[in-house]
Amino acid sequence: MPTSGSRELELMGDLSIHGVAVPVTWKATAQFTETEVKGLATTAVTFAPFGMENPKGPFQLSVEDKIRLELEFVFTKG
């Protein structure tokens, strides 16, 4: 594990929403120090793979078919 600097990473796994699991790749940037790893991971998915429809309401003009997720993380080295 690096003890300094930053790295671009790809995190791969399944994302579960409403009991439906879909493989997702997160793009992440992590900063490393002697005591911790911290960073931000982002991904985007659409509604359909999870069996969901775009939200609709009487006063909404439109909703983009993209769900953008961000995960800020901090890990302390043990």
Side-chain angles (χ1 to χ4, degrees):
M1 186 75 90
T3 57
S4 65
S6 66
R7 303 281 193 286
E8 300 284 323
L9 307 169
E10 284 191 349
L11 309 172
M12 293 175 258
D14 290 340
L15 176 64
S16 295
I17 299 176
H18 292 292
V20 178
V22 174
V24 174
T25 300
W26 296 72
K27 302 285 185 185
T29 302
Q31 291 80 39
F32 298 88
T33 69
E34 291 285 336
T35 59
E36 68 181 16
V37 179
K38 63 181 175 179
L40 178 69
T42 61
T43 194
V45 296
T46 57
F47 288 92
F50 297 98
M52 300 185 309
E53 294 182 12
N54 291 37
K56 295 179 180 139
F59 301 107
Q60 287 177 254
L61 297 177
S62 66
V63 173
E64 187 177 351
D65 185 28
K66 184 185 278 187
I67 304 166
R68 180 176 158 78
L69 302 170
E70 292 186 354
L71 174 66
E72 194 171 332
F73 57 89
V74 177
F75 299 107
T76 303
K77 294 180 182 178

